[in-house]
Amino acid sequence: RETLEAQLGTVLDCIEDQVDRCIEDLDHLVRIKSISVDMKFRKFGCDALVWVANRLAAMKFRTNIIPIENAPTSCLHEPMQKVLFANYFSSPTKCTVFIYAHVDVVPAERDCWFSDPFELNVREGLFYGRGVTSGKGMLVGWLHAIECWLKVNEDLPINVKFIVDMLHEVGSEGVQDYVQSRMDFFLDVDYMIFDANSFLNAERPVIACGLTGWAHFGIQLRGANKSVDAGLAGGLLFEPMTDLCHLMSSMVSSQQELRIPRIDHMVRRLSVSEWQLLETAEFSVPKYKDRLEIRRLRYEENKVNLLQHRWCKPTICMHGIQGSDNLAECSRALPMLITGKFSLKLVPDQELPSIHNAVQDHLRRMCTELEVNTDMKVMLLDACEPTSWSTSSRYTNALTQAVRDVYMKDPVTTAGIAICLPIASVYRKLVNKPILLVPYSMRTDRHLHENESIYEDLFVRHSKVCASLLFELSSI
């Protein structure tokens, strides 16, 4: 430990010395238009994956780029979508960490940006470019942390595994299926690491120790055994569409407050320090409204209340109606089998079975009160439990020390202000290993929006935190 601790200072100095090269790598990745939601740009995602694989191979990683054949339908065209598995094995006596990263981004319209979104632009201490706060910037930080450790020590203090995804922004469907078939890859993994946008202000870094979950529901209503003509049967049949509108409206008030009983009974209460953290969060209501071009925002009179509903309380969203008429032309058909889709965001310490029962009980009761005469069935389409872990566990303490060494101040650890990072929740559900959420940038950054940006200082410090964390985990 003493030898590694002495080398850590040299590693951090090495990261500082090669900042320019780190920025060059970020610029190179940003220029690759790896837009996963658009088929014509999918080839660039493969190019980005190959670039990362070559960088890792040069650092003694065993790399394997694997085609994802069971990806979503849109991914069945050439080039075949892929995922990168990489492994650095140092010693069986050392612990092993798994790091998730992705190289794909969402689209960016040039007219909405200060500069070309696919060229790294530096302005007033900020890096602008698509992917700098999500995916690409985080990955470059890890590459340089590992590279500097190898330069100084010629070995890593722990064993490291990577999965680098190019389908993250389209749900990683095929990747999730493949990972489930490759559980042997995780047998020796001790910790899973994900980078998260968790800073709430510029004063102190925040380490989140909780992940939100979700529950996607479908309300299926059936009238007759087939669709009928409105001119012939309209007014005679009980219509599923009418009943569905009433049932979905029953779940929220006119101000869109949740009206499902027992939904918020199990929500973790915020501590005094967490409440104070929300009070000091850098969040501008007017700027947020301007960005979305809206006049009103719920809870806009009280910033703390607004952020609490955004990050710490369950919410409901209505998504659509399957089986209804969604064509531009006028239609005379009355749909007789439809499914209304909605989702609930779940937060610690909510339990999925209790939420499922609460939703079912409410809708069944409303069927009776509203005298619904069509057949109803409530379906749980997809779900993932919210989770939280100790803010004083050994691995959380390791991350806390790594952040403290770099920022020279104590970070705030919180389990109540959970992170919404679906991919981390999915991997925890599949692998069930302890999770570390490494703080990367501000929650209020323009993540996935126009003029996406990160402070240069945060970008460089992230590499140092990654390097320090490798050392701290080696000491457990």
PDB file of all heavy atoms in Angstrom, residues 296-329:
ATOM      1  N   ARG A 296     -45.192  27.990 -17.723  1.00  0.00           N
ATOM      2  CA  ARG A 296     -45.371  27.603 -16.330  1.00  0.00           C
ATOM      3  C   ARG A 296     -44.646  26.301 -16.051  1.00  0.00           C
ATOM      4  O   ARG A 296     -44.474  25.461 -16.923  1.00  0.00           O
ATOM      5  CB  ARG A 296     -46.868  27.423 -16.006  1.00  0.00           C
ATOM      6  CG  ARG A 296     -47.695  28.691 -16.057  1.00  0.00           C
ATOM      7  CD  ARG A 296     -47.299  29.653 -14.946  1.00  0.00           C
ATOM      8  NE  ARG A 296     -47.341  29.033 -13.625  1.00  0.00           N
ATOM      9  CZ  ARG A 296     -48.447  28.919 -12.890  1.00  0.00           C
ATOM     10  NH1 ARG A 296     -49.605  29.378 -13.346  1.00  0.00           N
ATOM     11  NH2 ARG A 296     -48.402  28.366 -11.697  1.00  0.00           N
ATOM     12  N   LEU A 297     -44.233  26.149 -14.787  1.00  0.00           N
ATOM     13  CA  LEU A 297     -43.550  24.948 -14.327  1.00  0.00           C
ATOM     14  C   LEU A 297     -44.139  24.586 -12.977  1.00  0.00           C
ATOM     15  O   LEU A 297     -44.368  25.463 -12.125  1.00  0.00           O
ATOM     16  CB  LEU A 297     -42.049  25.221 -14.210  1.00  0.00           C
ATOM     17  CG  LEU A 297     -41.091  24.037 -14.117  1.00  0.00           C
ATOM     18  CD1 LEU A 297     -41.172  23.194 -15.386  1.00  0.00           C
ATOM     19  CD2 LEU A 297     -39.662  24.529 -13.910  1.00  0.00           C
ATOM     20  N   ARG A 298     -44.402  23.342 -12.775  1.00  0.00           N
ATOM     21  CA  ARG A 298     -44.965  22.931 -11.490  1.00  0.00           C
ATOM     22  C   ARG A 298     -43.967  23.210 -10.370  1.00  0.00           C
ATOM     23  O   ARG A 298     -42.762  23.016 -10.526  1.00  0.00           O
ATOM     24  CB  ARG A 298     -45.309  21.441 -11.514  1.00  0.00           C
ATOM     25  CG  ARG A 298     -46.369  21.074 -12.549  1.00  0.00           C
ATOM     26  CD  ARG A 298     -46.636  19.589 -12.542  1.00  0.00           C
ATOM     27  NE  ARG A 298     -47.264  19.169 -11.297  1.00  0.00           N
ATOM     28  CZ  ARG A 298     -47.316  17.904 -10.889  1.00  0.00           C
ATOM     29  NH1 ARG A 298     -46.726  16.956 -11.603  1.00  0.00           N
ATOM     30  NH2 ARG A 298     -47.917  17.597  -9.756  1.00  0.00           N
ATOM     31  N   TYR A 299     -44.451  23.679  -9.245  1.00  0.00           N
ATOM     32  CA  TYR A 299     -43.657  23.976  -8.048  1.00  0.00           C
ATOM     33  C   TYR A 299     -42.607  25.065  -8.297  1.00  0.00           C
ATOM     34  O   TYR A 299     -41.607  25.137  -7.582  1.00  0.00           O
ATOM     35  CB  TYR A 299     -42.962  22.705  -7.516  1.00  0.00           C
ATOM     36  CG  TYR A 299     -43.821  21.484  -7.532  1.00  0.00           C
ATOM     37  CD1 TYR A 299     -43.565  20.425  -8.412  1.00  0.00           C
ATOM     38  CD2 TYR A 299     -44.920  21.372  -6.670  1.00  0.00           C
ATOM     39  CE1 TYR A 299     -44.369  19.295  -8.435  1.00  0.00           C
ATOM     40  CE2 TYR A 299     -45.722  20.239  -6.693  1.00  0.00           C
ATOM     41  CZ  TYR A 299     -45.439  19.216  -7.578  1.00  0.00           C
ATOM     42  OH  TYR A 299     -46.237  18.100  -7.598  1.00  0.00           O
ATOM     43  N   GLU A 300     -42.814  25.911  -9.291  1.00  0.00           N
ATOM     44  CA  GLU A 300     -41.802  26.907  -9.626  1.00  0.00           C
ATOM     45  C   GLU A 300     -41.637  27.975  -8.544  1.00  0.00           C
ATOM     46  O   GLU A 300     -40.632  28.684  -8.522  1.00  0.00           O
ATOM     47  CB  GLU A 300     -42.141  27.581 -10.953  1.00  0.00           C
ATOM     48  CG  GLU A 300     -43.443  28.365 -10.952  1.00  0.00           C
ATOM     49  CD  GLU A 300     -43.727  28.974 -12.308  1.00  0.00           C
ATOM     50  OE1 GLU A 300     -43.166  28.517 -13.321  1.00  0.00           O
ATOM     51  OE2 GLU A 300     -44.518  29.939 -12.343  1.00  0.00           O
ATOM     52  N   GLU A 301     -42.604  28.075  -7.621  1.00  0.00           N
ATOM     53  CA  GLU A 301     -42.506  29.085  -6.568  1.00  0.00           C
ATOM     54  C   GLU A 301     -41.452  28.723  -5.524  1.00  0.00           C
ATOM     55  O   GLU A 301     -40.956  29.591  -4.808  1.00  0.00           O
ATOM     56  CB  GLU A 301     -43.868  29.253  -5.858  1.00  0.00           C
ATOM     57  CG  GLU A 301     -45.000  29.691  -6.762  1.00  0.00           C
ATOM     58  CD  GLU A 301     -45.639  28.508  -7.480  1.00  0.00           C
ATOM     59  OE1 GLU A 301     -45.241  27.352  -7.166  1.00  0.00           O
ATOM     60  OE2 GLU A 301     -46.496  28.731  -8.349  1.00  0.00           O
ATOM     61  N   ASN A 302     -41.099  27.431  -5.427  1.00  0.00           N
ATOM     62  CA  ASN A 302     -40.175  26.974  -4.389  1.00  0.00           C
ATOM     63  C   ASN A 302     -39.155  26.016  -5.017  1.00  0.00           C
ATOM     64  O   ASN A 302     -39.501  24.895  -5.394  1.00  0.00           O
ATOM     65  CB  ASN A 302     -40.947  26.275  -3.260  1.00  0.00           C
ATOM     66  CG  ASN A 302     -40.065  25.914  -2.077  1.00  0.00           C
ATOM     67  OD1 ASN A 302     -38.971  25.399  -2.241  1.00  0.00           O
ATOM     68  ND2 ASN A 302     -40.557  26.185  -0.878  1.00  0.00           N
ATOM     69  N   LYS A 303     -37.905  26.458  -5.138  1.00  0.00           N
ATOM     70  CA  LYS A 303     -36.891  25.646  -5.808  1.00  0.00           C
ATOM     71  C   LYS A 303     -36.673  24.307  -5.113  1.00  0.00           C
ATOM     72  O   LYS A 303     -36.539  23.263  -5.774  1.00  0.00           O
ATOM     73  CB  LYS A 303     -35.571  26.413  -5.867  1.00  0.00           C
ATOM     74  CG  LYS A 303     -34.470  25.672  -6.615  1.00  0.00           C
ATOM     75  CD  LYS A 303     -33.147  26.408  -6.563  1.00  0.00           C
ATOM     76  CE  LYS A 303     -32.479  26.257  -5.214  1.00  0.00           C
ATOM     77  NZ  LYS A 303     -31.104  26.802  -5.187  1.00  0.00           N
ATOM     78  N   VAL A 304     -36.633  24.312  -3.778  1.00  0.00           N
ATOM     79  CA  VAL A 304     -36.384  23.074  -3.051  1.00  0.00           C
ATOM     80  C   VAL A 304     -37.512  22.078  -3.286  1.00  0.00           C
ATOM     81  O   VAL A 304     -37.281  20.883  -3.529  1.00  0.00           O
ATOM     82  CB  VAL A 304     -36.218  23.356  -1.541  1.00  0.00           C
ATOM     83  CG1 VAL A 304     -36.080  22.052  -0.768  1.00  0.00           C
ATOM     84  CG2 VAL A 304     -35.002  24.235  -1.300  1.00  0.00           C
ATOM     85  N   ASN A 305     -38.750  22.558  -3.255  1.00  0.00           N
ATOM     86  CA  ASN A 305     -39.896  21.686  -3.496  1.00  0.00           C
ATOM     87  C   ASN A 305     -39.866  21.140  -4.919  1.00  0.00           C
ATOM     88  O   ASN A 305     -40.156  19.969  -5.172  1.00  0.00           O
ATOM     89  CB  ASN A 305     -41.198  22.454  -3.257  1.00  0.00           C
ATOM     90  CG  ASN A 305     -42.392  21.535  -3.106  1.00  0.00           C
ATOM     91  OD1 ASN A 305     -42.254  20.366  -2.761  1.00  0.00           O
ATOM     92  ND2 ASN A 305     -43.573  22.051  -3.375  1.00  0.00           N
ATOM     93  N   LEU A 306     -39.479  21.991  -5.854  1.00  0.00           N
ATOM     94  CA  LEU A 306     -39.388  21.577  -7.250  1.00  0.00           C
ATOM     95  C   LEU A 306     -38.353  20.472  -7.422  1.00  0.00           C
ATOM     96  O   LEU A 306     -38.610  19.437  -8.050  1.00  0.00           O
ATOM     97  CB  LEU A 306     -39.045  22.786  -8.126  1.00  0.00           C
ATOM     98  CG  LEU A 306     -39.006  22.591  -9.650  1.00  0.00           C
ATOM     99  CD1 LEU A 306     -39.352  23.894 -10.351  1.00  0.00           C
ATOM    100  CD2 LEU A 306     -37.638  22.114 -10.141  1.00  0.00           C
ATOM    101  N   LEU A 307     -37.154  20.675  -6.878  1.00  0.00           N
ATOM    102  CA  LEU A 307     -36.090  19.687  -7.028  1.00  0.00           C
ATOM    103  C   LEU A 307     -36.390  18.404  -6.263  1.00  0.00           C
ATOM    104  O   LEU A 307     -35.984  17.323  -6.676  1.00  0.00           O
ATOM    105  CB  LEU A 307     -34.761  20.284  -6.561  1.00  0.00           C
ATOM    106  CG  LEU A 307     -34.241  21.461  -7.392  1.00  0.00           C
ATOM    107  CD1 LEU A 307     -32.932  21.982  -6.812  1.00  0.00           C
ATOM    108  CD2 LEU A 307     -34.052  21.065  -8.851  1.00  0.00           C
ATOM    109  N   GLN A 308     -37.096  18.545  -5.155  1.00  0.00           N
ATOM    110  CA  GLN A 308     -37.478  17.354  -4.407  1.00  0.00           C
ATOM    111  C   GLN A 308     -38.417  16.472  -5.244  1.00  0.00           C
ATOM    112  O   GLN A 308     -38.268  15.248  -5.277  1.00  0.00           O
ATOM    113  CB  GLN A 308     -38.161  17.751  -3.096  1.00  0.00           C
ATOM    114  CG  GLN A 308     -38.422  16.568  -2.175  1.00  0.00           C
ATOM    115  CD  GLN A 308     -39.133  16.971  -0.903  1.00  0.00           C
ATOM    116  OE1 GLN A 308     -39.726  18.049  -0.835  1.00  0.00           O
ATOM    117  NE2 GLN A 308     -39.106  16.119   0.100  1.00  0.00           N
ATOM    118  N   HIS A 309     -39.380  17.106  -5.945  1.00  0.00           N
ATOM    119  CA  HIS A 309     -40.264  16.335  -6.810  1.00  0.00           C
ATOM    120  C   HIS A 309     -39.518  15.793  -8.022  1.00  0.00           C
ATOM    121  O   HIS A 309     -39.865  14.740  -8.554  1.00  0.00           O
ATOM    122  CB  HIS A 309     -41.434  17.213  -7.262  1.00  0.00           C
ATOM    123  CG  HIS A 309     -42.528  17.319  -6.248  1.00  0.00           C
ATOM    124  ND1 HIS A 309     -42.472  18.208  -5.195  1.00  0.00           N
ATOM    125  CD2 HIS A 309     -43.684  16.627  -6.103  1.00  0.00           C
ATOM    126  CE1 HIS A 309     -43.562  18.069  -4.456  1.00  0.00           C
ATOM    127  NE2 HIS A 309     -44.307  17.123  -4.982  1.00  0.00           N
ATOM    128  N   ARG A 310     -38.488  16.492  -8.450  1.00  0.00           N
ATOM    129  CA  ARG A 310     -37.735  16.049  -9.618  1.00  0.00           C
ATOM    130  C   ARG A 310     -36.843  14.848  -9.308  1.00  0.00           C
ATOM    131  O   ARG A 310     -36.707  13.942 -10.133  1.00  0.00           O
ATOM    132  CB  ARG A 310     -36.877  17.204 -10.136  1.00  0.00           C
ATOM    133  CG  ARG A 310     -36.126  16.894 -11.423  1.00  0.00           C
ATOM    134  CD  ARG A 310     -35.276  18.064 -11.865  1.00  0.00           C
ATOM    135  NE  ARG A 310     -34.628  17.809 -13.146  1.00  0.00           N
ATOM    136  CZ  ARG A 310     -33.750  18.628 -13.720  1.00  0.00           C
ATOM    137  NH1 ARG A 310     -33.428  19.761 -13.118  1.00  0.00           N
ATOM    138  NH2 ARG A 310     -33.213  18.322 -14.876  1.00  0.00           N
ATOM    139  N   TRP A 311     -36.237  14.823  -8.131  1.00  0.00           N
ATOM    140  CA  TRP A 311     -35.225  13.817  -7.825  1.00  0.00           C
ATOM    141  C   TRP A 311     -35.589  12.863  -6.694  1.00  0.00           C
ATOM    142  O   TRP A 311     -35.011  11.778  -6.612  1.00  0.00           O
ATOM    143  CB  TRP A 311     -33.905  14.508  -7.458  1.00  0.00           C
ATOM    144  CG  TRP A 311     -33.277  15.265  -8.589  1.00  0.00           C
ATOM    145  CD1 TRP A 311     -33.306  14.936  -9.911  1.00  0.00           C
ATOM    146  CD2 TRP A 311     -32.518  16.470  -8.490  1.00  0.00           C
ATOM    147  NE1 TRP A 311     -32.613  15.877 -10.644  1.00  0.00           N
ATOM    148  CE2 TRP A 311     -32.106  16.826  -9.793  1.00  0.00           C
ATOM    149  CE3 TRP A 311     -32.123  17.296  -7.432  1.00  0.00           C
ATOM    150  CZ2 TRP A 311     -31.346  17.959 -10.064  1.00  0.00           C
ATOM    151  CZ3 TRP A 311     -31.365  18.420  -7.695  1.00  0.00           C
ATOM    152  CH2 TRP A 311     -30.972  18.747  -9.008  1.00  0.00           C
ATOM    153  N   CYS A 312     -36.506  13.245  -5.804  1.00  0.00           N
ATOM    154  CA  CYS A 312     -36.679  12.492  -4.554  1.00  0.00           C
ATOM    155  C   CYS A 312     -38.076  11.927  -4.354  1.00  0.00           C
ATOM    156  O   CYS A 312     -38.323  11.283  -3.329  1.00  0.00           O
ATOM    157  CB  CYS A 312     -36.330  13.376  -3.354  1.00  0.00           C
ATOM    158  SG  CYS A 312     -34.812  14.325  -3.531  1.00  0.00           S
ATOM    159  N   LYS A 313     -38.996  12.161  -5.269  1.00  0.00           N
ATOM    160  CA  LYS A 313     -40.361  11.681  -5.098  1.00  0.00           C
ATOM    161  C   LYS A 313     -40.811  10.910  -6.334  1.00  0.00           C
ATOM    162  O   LYS A 313     -40.325  11.157  -7.439  1.00  0.00           O
ATOM    163  CB  LYS A 313     -41.314  12.859  -4.842  1.00  0.00           C
ATOM    164  CG  LYS A 313     -41.155  13.488  -3.466  1.00  0.00           C
ATOM    165  CD  LYS A 313     -42.283  14.457  -3.178  1.00  0.00           C
ATOM    166  CE  LYS A 313     -42.210  14.979  -1.748  1.00  0.00           C
ATOM    167  NZ  LYS A 313     -43.354  15.860  -1.426  1.00  0.00           N
ATOM    168  N   PRO A 314     -41.762   9.983  -6.148  1.00  0.00           N
ATOM    169  CA  PRO A 314     -42.274   9.247  -7.310  1.00  0.00           C
ATOM    170  C   PRO A 314     -43.078  10.157  -8.227  1.00  0.00           C
ATOM    171  O   PRO A 314     -43.727  11.097  -7.766  1.00  0.00           O
ATOM    172  CB  PRO A 314     -43.164   8.171  -6.682  1.00  0.00           C
ATOM    173  CG  PRO A 314     -43.571   8.737  -5.362  1.00  0.00           C
ATOM    174  CD  PRO A 314     -42.421   9.567  -4.895  1.00  0.00           C
ATOM    175  N   THR A 315     -43.026   9.886  -9.509  1.00  0.00           N
ATOM    176  CA  THR A 315     -43.775  10.668 -10.494  1.00  0.00           C
ATOM    177  C   THR A 315     -44.464   9.712 -11.455  1.00  0.00           C
ATOM    178  O   THR A 315     -44.086   8.549 -11.585  1.00  0.00           O
ATOM    179  CB  THR A 315     -42.850  11.600 -11.295  1.00  0.00           C
ATOM    180  OG1 THR A 315     -41.817  10.827 -11.915  1.00  0.00           O
ATOM    181  CG2 THR A 315     -42.217  12.641 -10.386  1.00  0.00           C
ATOM    182  N   ILE A 316     -45.485  10.231 -12.126  1.00  0.00           N
ATOM    183  CA  ILE A 316     -46.222   9.438 -13.107  1.00  0.00           C
ATOM    184  C   ILE A 316     -46.145  10.130 -14.467  1.00  0.00           C
ATOM    185  O   ILE A 316     -46.154  11.361 -14.548  1.00  0.00           O
ATOM    186  CB  ILE A 316     -47.701   9.242 -12.676  1.00  0.00           C
ATOM    187  CG1 ILE A 316     -48.400   8.257 -13.614  1.00  0.00           C
ATOM    188  CG2 ILE A 316     -48.446  10.574 -12.627  1.00  0.00           C
ATOM    189  CD1 ILE A 316     -49.780   7.835 -13.127  1.00  0.00           C
ATOM    190  N   CYS A 317     -46.015   9.343 -15.525  1.00  0.00           N
ATOM    191  CA  CYS A 317     -45.989   9.875 -16.896  1.00  0.00           C
ATOM    192  C   CYS A 317     -46.901   9.019 -17.764  1.00  0.00           C
ATOM    193  O   CYS A 317     -46.837   7.785 -17.714  1.00  0.00           O
ATOM    194  CB  CYS A 317     -44.572   9.855 -17.474  1.00  0.00           C
ATOM    195  SG  CYS A 317     -43.430  11.000 -16.693  1.00  0.00           S
ATOM    196  N   MET A 318     -47.742   9.685 -18.559  1.00  0.00           N
ATOM    197  CA  MET A 318     -48.604   8.994 -19.518  1.00  0.00           C
ATOM    198  C   MET A 318     -47.882   8.941 -20.866  1.00  0.00           C
ATOM    199  O   MET A 318     -47.402   9.967 -21.358  1.00  0.00           O
ATOM    200  CB  MET A 318     -49.934   9.733 -19.663  1.00  0.00           C
ATOM    201  CG  MET A 318     -50.633  10.011 -18.352  1.00  0.00           C
ATOM    202  SD  MET A 318     -51.172   8.484 -17.545  1.00  0.00           S
ATOM    203  CE  MET A 318     -51.966   9.143 -16.070  1.00  0.00           C
ATOM    204  N   HIS A 319     -47.824   7.742 -21.473  1.00  0.00           N
ATOM    205  CA  HIS A 319     -46.997   7.578 -22.667  1.00  0.00           C
ATOM    206  C   HIS A 319     -47.765   7.395 -23.966  1.00  0.00           C
ATOM    207  O   HIS A 319     -47.284   7.795 -25.025  1.00  0.00           O
ATOM    208  CB  HIS A 319     -46.051   6.392 -22.478  1.00  0.00           C
ATOM    209  CG  HIS A 319     -45.109   6.567 -21.343  1.00  0.00           C
ATOM    210  ND1 HIS A 319     -44.113   7.526 -21.327  1.00  0.00           N
ATOM    211  CD2 HIS A 319     -45.009   5.920 -20.149  1.00  0.00           C
ATOM    212  CE1 HIS A 319     -43.441   7.451 -20.179  1.00  0.00           C
ATOM    213  NE2 HIS A 319     -43.969   6.484 -19.463  1.00  0.00           N
ATOM    214  N   GLY A 320     -48.931   6.807 -23.933  1.00  0.00           N
ATOM    215  CA  GLY A 320     -49.645   6.622 -25.191  1.00  0.00           C
ATOM    216  C   GLY A 320     -50.691   5.536 -25.086  1.00  0.00           C
ATOM    217  O   GLY A 320     -50.882   4.916 -24.033  1.00  0.00           O
ATOM    218  N   ILE A 321     -51.378   5.319 -26.214  1.00  0.00           N
ATOM    219  CA  ILE A 321     -52.454   4.331 -26.271  1.00  0.00           C
ATOM    220  C   ILE A 321     -52.204   3.416 -27.462  1.00  0.00           C
ATOM    221  O   ILE A 321     -52.230   3.857 -28.613  1.00  0.00           O
ATOM    222  CB  ILE A 321     -53.836   4.997 -26.392  1.00  0.00           C
ATOM    223  CG1 ILE A 321     -54.081   5.915 -25.190  1.00  0.00           C
ATOM    224  CG2 ILE A 321     -54.933   3.945 -26.484  1.00  0.00           C
ATOM    225  CD1 ILE A 321     -55.354   6.714 -25.276  1.00  0.00           C
ATOM    226  N   GLN A 322     -51.944   2.162 -27.168  1.00  0.00           N
ATOM    227  CA  GLN A 322     -51.726   1.175 -28.218  1.00  0.00           C
ATOM    228  C   GLN A 322     -53.062   0.658 -28.719  1.00  0.00           C
ATOM    229  O   GLN A 322     -53.954   0.337 -27.945  1.00  0.00           O
ATOM    230  CB  GLN A 322     -50.894   0.021 -27.672  1.00  0.00           C
ATOM    231  CG  GLN A 322     -50.575  -1.068 -28.668  1.00  0.00           C
ATOM    232  CD  GLN A 322     -49.758  -2.180 -28.054  1.00  0.00           C
ATOM    233  OE1 GLN A 322     -49.134  -1.992 -27.005  1.00  0.00           O
ATOM    234  NE2 GLN A 322     -49.774  -3.348 -28.674  1.00  0.00           N
ATOM    235  N   GLY A 323     -53.219   0.592 -30.045  1.00  0.00           N
ATOM    236  CA  GLY A 323     -54.452   0.090 -30.637  1.00  0.00           C
ATOM    237  C   GLY A 323     -55.430   1.173 -31.026  1.00  0.00           C
ATOM    238  O   GLY A 323     -56.471   0.893 -31.636  1.00  0.00           O
ATOM    239  N   SER A 324     -55.121   2.442 -30.697  1.00  0.00           N
ATOM    240  CA  SER A 324     -56.018   3.542 -31.047  1.00  0.00           C
ATOM    241  C   SER A 324     -55.676   4.065 -32.442  1.00  0.00           C
ATOM    242  O   SER A 324     -54.695   3.660 -33.055  1.00  0.00           O
ATOM    243  CB  SER A 324     -55.895   4.665 -30.022  1.00  0.00           C
ATOM    244  OG  SER A 324     -54.588   5.203 -30.050  1.00  0.00           O
ATOM    245  N   ASP A 325     -56.488   4.982 -32.944  1.00  0.00           N
ATOM    246  CA  ASP A 325     -56.259   5.584 -34.249  1.00  0.00           C
ATOM    247  C   ASP A 325     -55.206   6.679 -34.112  1.00  0.00           C
ATOM    248  O   ASP A 325     -55.420   7.675 -33.438  1.00  0.00           O
ATOM    249  CB  ASP A 325     -57.567   6.179 -34.781  1.00  0.00           C
ATOM    250  CG  ASP A 325     -57.351   6.973 -36.065  1.00  0.00           C
ATOM    251  OD1 ASP A 325     -56.387   6.672 -36.778  1.00  0.00           O
ATOM    252  OD2 ASP A 325     -58.145   7.896 -36.328  1.00  0.00           O
ATOM    253  N   ASN A 326     -54.047   6.499 -34.750  1.00  0.00           N
ATOM    254  CA  ASN A 326     -53.001   7.514 -34.689  1.00  0.00           C
ATOM    255  C   ASN A 326     -52.615   8.004 -36.083  1.00  0.00           C
ATOM    256  O   ASN A 326     -51.524   8.517 -36.288  1.00  0.00           O
ATOM    257  CB  ASN A 326     -51.764   6.978 -33.962  1.00  0.00           C
ATOM    258  CG  ASN A 326     -51.210   5.731 -34.632  1.00  0.00           C
ATOM    259  OD1 ASN A 326     -51.752   5.254 -35.629  1.00  0.00           O
ATOM    260  ND2 ASN A 326     -50.139   5.198 -34.075  1.00  0.00           N
ATOM    261  N   LEU A 327     -53.531   7.827 -37.047  1.00  0.00           N
ATOM    262  CA  LEU A 327     -53.282   8.277 -38.409  1.00  0.00           C
ATOM    263  C   LEU A 327     -53.687   9.729 -38.574  1.00  0.00           C
ATOM    264  O   LEU A 327     -54.531  10.258 -37.833  1.00  0.00           O
ATOM    265  CB  LEU A 327     -54.046   7.403 -39.404  1.00  0.00           C
ATOM    266  CG  LEU A 327     -53.726   5.893 -39.363  1.00  0.00           C
ATOM    267  CD1 LEU A 327     -54.633   5.140 -40.336  1.00  0.00           C
ATOM    268  CD2 LEU A 327     -52.269   5.646 -39.690  1.00  0.00           C
ATOM    269  N   ALA A 328     -53.091  10.393 -39.572  1.00  0.00           N
ATOM    270  CA  ALA A 328     -53.410  11.800 -39.817  1.00  0.00           C
ATOM    271  C   ALA A 328     -54.821  11.957 -40.383  1.00  0.00           C
ATOM    272  O   ALA A 328     -55.494  12.974 -40.162  1.00  0.00           O
ATOM    273  CB  ALA A 328     -52.382  12.397 -40.775  1.00  0.00           C
ATOM    274  N   GLU A 329     -55.301  10.959 -41.143  1.00  0.00           N
ATOM    275  CA  GLU A 329     -56.621  11.064 -41.753  1.00  0.00           C
ATOM    276  C   GLU A 329     -57.720  10.810 -40.726  1.00  0.00           C
ATOM    277  O   GLU A 329     -57.494  10.228 -39.674  1.00  0.00           O
ATOM    278  CB  GLU A 329     -56.753  10.044 -42.899  1.00  0.00           C
ATOM    279  CG  GLU A 329     -55.701  10.171 -43.999  1.00  0.00           C
ATOM    280  CD  GLU A 329     -54.400   9.488 -43.636  1.00  0.00           C
ATOM    281  OE1 GLU A 329     -54.407   8.649 -42.715  1.00  0.00           O
ATOM    282  OE2 GLU A 329     -53.367   9.831 -44.249  1.00  0.00           O
TER     283      GLU A 329
END
